[in-house]
């Protein structure tokens, strides 16, 4: 199995203009992943599938994650505002990290029996209709799973051949797996009128 | 501009085409699955699967339940194979939290998972033959044997189908007295039953005529569409997660992976019969070698488990295909994101491709040969 | 080495219809066998005849009390762990309160809604006092959907003897655990007195 650094290098050689970076994962699983910019995701996926020594020919799992806006209290220097030199901010800064939606692809190689390489794409915000490119033209197995992500998270996949809801009905408006979705309160009362029932 | 003849031919064709809706309440759809088919005579021109009749947002439910509390919910995904669901979920959490599993528990997991595979495939044969119009003969024979395995499950875990047996770092309870002997007796009996089933089915002319050449999937296409499990291997692709990942203690057992050559319904059907024989080999070895020792890692925490932040993906070879659980933890007591990679749903990706050009009666057989469970398709 | 299914690929029997006949031999064997061979006739005439349930079999939870008096021998101390851990949230507990409104270590209300309960036995697992266990009752249909399926404390309470009969192994283990705990408490008390 090629390590992720090598894969990043190979991808940058093959698709020069793409931005790809390593997202590390500090849990025990050690599954680190690759964050790809959405403009080149399809090209990158096609390269990963067709390169003979990488050969990730099988997309196992496709899923979305909803990251809410979060406020982080940090004591670190704010590097965004400073150019060239570092300014140490002693005060606790409350930073608002804007939320985003994320799609995660778990890719394996069936031919080389290797994997997983985890590919991620992120949207800029959590608007109701955010767009990401579909990887279904590269991996057919993403077809139903991307429909499910669209249904439950509201990410529209551009280039998907059949972008419809999968599990909820067509008229349903919300996206239930978003973190800010709450189901309409269920009534505890019986839908059948107890009085109307025949007495025993 | 369309010429008059073209308009005529279109209207003629649309008159000839017939829209039918199979399901959701149809005995051959294995639950509440619906297919919108367009027929030209008896030939399928287009087929659209409709999902979601059993959707209960299992994943959202899991995001507000504790890690332990999710375990019984996983039973209800693929309700024929609750033990493999338990295992896949336990495996993912163990990867996420870095929990070791003692040896005896790994053996018990292998034993229960292979018993699950056996009973699932026995029921599968019955349902497939039911779909072909054999009214219940094979189903009853299959269920008769499955019943013995379910009795084993009941005396071990307390329930026949909703077992809720595995825990993070091991299994919930040890085998009762005499259980291993009973399991050995059943594994010794089963080859005879399989011989009988093979005699009954494999060269039956009607089975051959109904399944050979029906719903063929070439191997490359199957890989790209993410088919897994027996459906993939019927197309000749040698990929079994038990061999590839060798999770648990599968690397200690000697078993082979049967492969198909054509990828039609007959191969998918035969593959299950051959797979059951391999499962019996594993079972025999595992029951003989079952080591003594603890069944659960004493350091493993089940209640109030708070795994470190991060993510993990664990997958196993369930009887239906590759079952995966993807978990994202934010250090709280409930998973931040919990995702089931359902083999039944992904295996349906190619349903239309398999069915187009076939007769409408074959659609039922093709769907039966994929072996879906709606509890897992819709979640 | 992989065994290929294609080895088994056949196009029917030796002559047309022989495969069907061979199969019918199997069904004939099963039919005749069902008169002589108990392994081919496995059904019983339910409900007149019933197969014994294995010891571990479980249906719905019940509460255990020691001795004869359900109120005095109640093991439950209303710690509410089971209520918190129950995945479908079907347990409802209210503590008993004294005159000042301070909660006592006894449940005043202990309800289990068995129309919601999914028999997962997590409540049994998490109970530190061995106060709740799984019953084996079945065929418990009622004539309404809500109230009769909500079991109250009085209906849930069953004596320890019942549990001993139900599951000798598990009850013996629970009794041993409780005895050890009691011995430990007594020792502690004694040590406290001496000190």
């Amino acid at each position: 199995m090629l390590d992720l650094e090598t894969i990043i290098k190979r991808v940058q050689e093959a698709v020069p203009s793409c931005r790809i970076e390593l997202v590390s994962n500090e849990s025990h699983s050690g599954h680190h992943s690759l964050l790809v910019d959405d403009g080149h995701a399809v090209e990158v996926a096609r390269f990963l599938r067709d390169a003979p020594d990488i050969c990730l020919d099988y997309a196992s799992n496709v899923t979305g994650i909803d990251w809410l806006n979060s406020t982080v209290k940090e004591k670190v220097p704010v590097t965004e505002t400073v150019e060239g030199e570092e300014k140490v901010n002693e005060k606790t800064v409350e930073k608002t990290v804007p939320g985003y939606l994320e799609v995660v692809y778990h890719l394996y190689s069936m031919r080389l029996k290797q994997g997983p390489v985890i590919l991620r794409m992120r949207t800029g915000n959590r608007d109701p209709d955010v767009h990401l490119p579909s990887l279904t033209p590269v991996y057919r197995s993403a077809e139903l799973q991307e429909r499910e992500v669209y249904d439950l998270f509201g990410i529209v996949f551009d280039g998907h051949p059949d972008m419809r809801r999968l599990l909820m009905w067509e008229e349903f408006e919300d996206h239930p797996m978003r973190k800010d979705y709450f189901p309409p309160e269920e009534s505890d009362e019986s839908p059948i009128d107890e009085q109307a029932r025949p007495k025993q | 501009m369309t010429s008059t003849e073209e308009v005529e031919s279109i209207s003629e064709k649309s008159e000839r085409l017939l829209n039918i809706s199979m399901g959701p309440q149809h005995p051959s759809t294995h639950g509440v699955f619906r297919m919108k088919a367009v027929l030209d005579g008896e030939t399928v021109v287009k087929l659209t699967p409709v999902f979601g009749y059993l959707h209960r947002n299992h994943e959202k439910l899991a995001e507000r339940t504790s890690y332990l509390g999710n375990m019984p919910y996983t039973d209800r995904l693929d309700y024929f194979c609750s033990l493999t669901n338990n295992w896949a979920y336990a495996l993912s959490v163990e990867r996420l939290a870095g929990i070791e599993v003692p040896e005896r528990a790994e053996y018990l997991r292998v034993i229960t998972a292979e018993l699950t595979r056996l009973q699932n495939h026995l029921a599968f044969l019955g349902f497939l033959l039911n779909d072909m119009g054999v009214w219940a003969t094979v189903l009853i024979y299959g269920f008769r044997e499955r019943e013995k395995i379910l009795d084993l499950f009941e005396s071990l875990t307390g329930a026949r189908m909703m077992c809720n047996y595995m825990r993070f770092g091991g299994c919930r309870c040890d085998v009762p007295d005499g259980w291993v002997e009973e399991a050995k007796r059943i594994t010794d009996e089963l080859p005879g039953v399989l011989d009988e089933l093979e005699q009954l089915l494999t060269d039956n002319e009607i089975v051959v005529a109904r399944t050979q050449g029906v719903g063929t999937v070439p191997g490359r296409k199957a890989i790209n569409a993410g088919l897994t499990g027996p459906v993939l291997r019927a197309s000749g692709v040698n990929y079994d997660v038990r061999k590839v990942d060798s999770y648990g203690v599968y690397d200690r057992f000697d078993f082979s992976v049967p492969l198909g050559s054509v990828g039609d319904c007959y191969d998918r059907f035969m593959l299950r019969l051959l797979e059951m024989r391999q499962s019996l080999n594993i079972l025999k070895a595992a029951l003989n070698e079952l080591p003594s020792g603890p069944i659960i890692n004493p350091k493993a925490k089940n209640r109030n488990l708070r795994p470190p932040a991060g993510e993990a993906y664990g997958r196993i070879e369930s009887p239906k295909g590759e079952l995966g659980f993807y978990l994202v933890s934010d250090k709280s007591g409930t998973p931040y994101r919990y995702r089931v990679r359902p083999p039944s749903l992904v295996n349906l990706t190619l349903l239309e491709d398999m069915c187009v050009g076939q007769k409408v009666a074959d659609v039922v057989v093709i769907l039966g040969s994929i072996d879906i469970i709606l509890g897992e398709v819709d979640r | 080495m992989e065994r290929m299914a294609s080895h088994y690929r056949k196009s029917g029997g030796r002559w047309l219809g022989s495969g069907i006949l061979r199969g019918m031999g199997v069904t004939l064997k099963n039919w005749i066998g069902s008169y002589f061979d108990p392994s081919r006739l496995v059904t019983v005439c339910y409900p007149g005849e019933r197969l014994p349930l294995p010891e571990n079999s479980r249906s719905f939870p019940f509460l255990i009390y020691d001795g004869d008096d359900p109120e005095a021998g109640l093991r439950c101390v209303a710690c509410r762990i089971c209520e918190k851990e129950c995945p479908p949230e079907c347990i409802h507990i209210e503590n008993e309160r004294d005159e000042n409104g301070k909660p006592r270590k006894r449940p005043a209300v202990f309800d289990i809604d068995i129309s919601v309960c999914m028999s997962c036995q997590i409540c049994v697992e998490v109970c530190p006092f061995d106060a709740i266990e799984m019953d084996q009752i079945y065929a418990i249909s009622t004539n309404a959907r809500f109230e009769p399926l909500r079991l109250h404390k009085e209906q849930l309470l069953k004596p320890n003897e019942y549990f001993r009969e139900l599951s000798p192994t598990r009850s013996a283990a629970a009794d041993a655990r409780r005895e050890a705990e009691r011995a430990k408490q007594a020792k502690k008390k004694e040590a406290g007195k001496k000190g």
Side-chain angles (χ1 to χ4, degrees), chain C residues 108-126:
Chain C
V109 177
F110 196 112
D111 289 356
I112 295 181
D113 191 344
I114 61 167
S115 66
V116 176
C117 175
M118 57 181 184
S119 309
C120 65
Q121 68 138 260
I122 279 183
C123 50
V124 179
E125 243 176 284
V126 299

Side-chain angles (χ1 to χ4, degrees), chain B residues 237-251:
Chain B
V237 182
N238 183 4
Y239 195 78
D240 188 320
V241 183
R242 287 178 294 175
K243 285 273 188 204
V244 176
D245 283 11
S246 60
Y247 58 93
V249 285
Y250 271 116
D251 48 350

Side-chain angles (χ1 to χ4, degrees), chain B residues 176-193:
Chain B
D177 293 338
W179 192 88
V180 175
E181 288 68 40
E182 181 69 10
K184 274 183 190 161
R185 197 180 60 75
I186 288 166
T187 23
D188 289 343
E189 270 176 17
L190 269 168
V193 177

Side-chain angles (χ1 to χ4, degrees), chain B residues 157 164 167 212 259 264 267, chain C residues 5 9-10 57-58 120 125:
Chain B
T157 71
N164 182 20
R167 290 289 176 268
Q212 285 194 354
L259 294 178
D264 57 1
D267 273 351
Chain C
R9 211 174 168 85
K10 294 167 186 165
S57 178
R58 62 175 197 254
C120 65
E125 243 176 284

Side-chain angles (χ1 to χ4, degrees), chain B residues 58-73:
Chain B
H58 177 85
E59 292 173 6
K60 188 92 177 174
L61 210 61
E63 284 176 11
R64 50 174 239 202
T65 316
S66 68
Y67 281 90
L68 173 64
N70 275 331
M71 189 60 86
Y73 282 124

Side-chain angles (χ1 to χ4, degrees), chain A residues 2-170:
Chain A
L2 293 174
D3 58 86
L4 289 180
E5 301 288 344
T6 324
I7 291 179
I8 289 178
K9 216 175 277 165
R10 293 282 310 279
V11 168
Q12 274 165 342
E13 279 164 22
V15 191
S17 53
C18 89
R19 286 195 313 281
I20 182 165
E21 54 186 279
L22 192 78
V23 181
S24 67
N25 169 15
E26 61 262 43
S27 88
H28 294 273
S29 68
H31 287 170
H32 307 294
S33 46
L34 302 174
L35 179 67
V36 191
D37 73 312
D38 39 324
H40 300 87
V42 180
E43 277 170 74
V44 171
R46 190 162 282 134
F47 168 73
L48 291 176
R49 185 190 67 180
D50 295 337
D53 56 338
I54 302 175
C55 191
L56 297 164
D57 48 6
Y58 160 51
S60 164
N61 181 39
V62 181
T63 186
I65 308 176
D66 181 8
W67 297 99
L68 289 171
N69 296 343
S70 54
T71 47
V72 195
K73 280 182 187 168
E74 278 179 344
K75 271 187 177 174
V76 291
V78 188
T79 43
E80 288 163 315
T81 51
V82 184
E83 274 175 34
E85 57 186 48
E86 269 189 292
K87 203 174 88 183
V88 183
N89 239 351
E90 288 296 316
K91 272 187 218 165
T92 321
V93 185
E94 216 168 82
K95 237 172 41 179
T96 311
V97 182
Y100 53 87
L101 294 159
E102 190 172 36
V103 194
V104 185
Y105 293 80
H106 285 78
L107 308 179
Y108 284 85
S109 171
M110 273 199 185
R111 201 161 61 82
L112 304 176
K113 304 208 175 6
Q114 289 170 345
V117 170
I118 304 163
L119 221 58
R120 317 176 89 92
M121 285 190 275
R122 283 176 188 168
T123 65
N125 52 49
R126 297 182 64 256
D127 287 349
D129 60 329
V130 282
H131 288 255
L132 281 179
S134 164
L135 296 193
T136 306
V138 187
Y139 298 111
R140 180 90 192 269
S141 57
E143 184 182 327
L144 293 176
Q145 301 190 68
E146 277 181 354
R147 272 179 69 188
E148 188 184 321
V149 173
Y150 162 66
D151 186 357
L152 302 181
F153 287 92
I155 302 171
V156 182
F157 288 93
D158 299 322
H160 191 283
D162 183 21
M163 196 78 265
R164 287 182 296 128
R165 282 183 180 274
L166 183 81
L167 299 168
M168 306 301 281
W169 54 101
E170 281 297 311

